[in-house]
Amino acid sequence: MLIGELSKQTGLSRDTIRFYEKKGLIAVGRKERRFNNYKEYSEHTLQRLFQIKRIKGFGFTLNETASLFDLIETNQASCQNVSEIISEKVILIDQKIMQLIELRQLMQRSVDKCLQDCCSNAQEPNCPTLTTDFLS
């Protein structure tokens, strides 16, 4: 299939597909080109793109995705290895969630302080939240 059909079936843009090819996540050999040099993508490539989407959907980066593919291709993607990798990702996600909760709390305190202090006094032309170290 041509890139347009591949794009339609996967929901990925043509540029994304080309980028994945450039990064080595998918490969199209010289034999898979038409006489006009158009690339003919195989069913294997389609399935590979679905795998990439699934892995990226878990929050893995393209580099991490490539590493996972390396494990698969060398038959080292055992349940033990994969579960360890996913567990490490879960820890990173938990850390990110905590950082986002802290950021949310900081922003909410800022809004509360602003509404309580500066908005009621209207002494400053600009909100101190953006112009000073308001929460210190």
Side-chain angles (χ1 to χ4, degrees), residues 5 21 46 49 52 67 70 79 82 84 92 101 131:
E5 181 63 26
E21 187 176 353
L46 176 66
L49 288 170
I52 293 169
S67 295
D70 288 343
C79 289
V82 171
E84 286 176 13
L92 291 173
I101 288 171
T131 58

Side-chain angles (χ1 to χ4, degrees), residues 31-82:
K31 293 180 183 178
E32 295 171 307
R33 292 179 186 261
R34 292 183 173 183
F35 69 93
N36 56 6
N37 211 27
Y38 285 10
K39 294 175 186 172
E40 185 75 37
Y41 294 93
S42 65
E43 180 68 24
H44 172 74
T45 301
L46 176 66
Q47 295 309 314
R48 179 82 165 206
L49 288 170
F50 283 133
Q51 282 181 306
I52 293 169
K53 281 184 72 167
R54 186 173 32 257
I55 292 169
K56 285 195 50 60
F58 284 135
F60 289 98
T61 65
L62 284 182
N63 288 338
E64 291 167 333
T65 300
S67 295
L68 289 169
F69 281 144
D70 288 343
L71 289 177
I72 291 168
E73 290 164 5
T74 58
N75 292 321
Q76 295 181 24
S78 66
C79 289
Q80 180 67 34
N81 289 343
V82 171

Side-chain angles (χ1 to χ4, degrees), residues 26 94-95:
I26 59 173
D94 286 342
Q95 291 171 348

Side-chain angles (χ1 to χ4, degrees), residues 102-118:
E102 290 173 9
L103 177 60
R104 182 185 182 281
Q105 290 171 343
L106 175 67
M107 292 176 79
Q108 189 59 55
R109 282 194 310 271
S110 176
V111 167
D112 293 345
K113 186 165 175 57
C114 183
L115 292 174
Q116 198 173 46
D117 294 345
C118 72

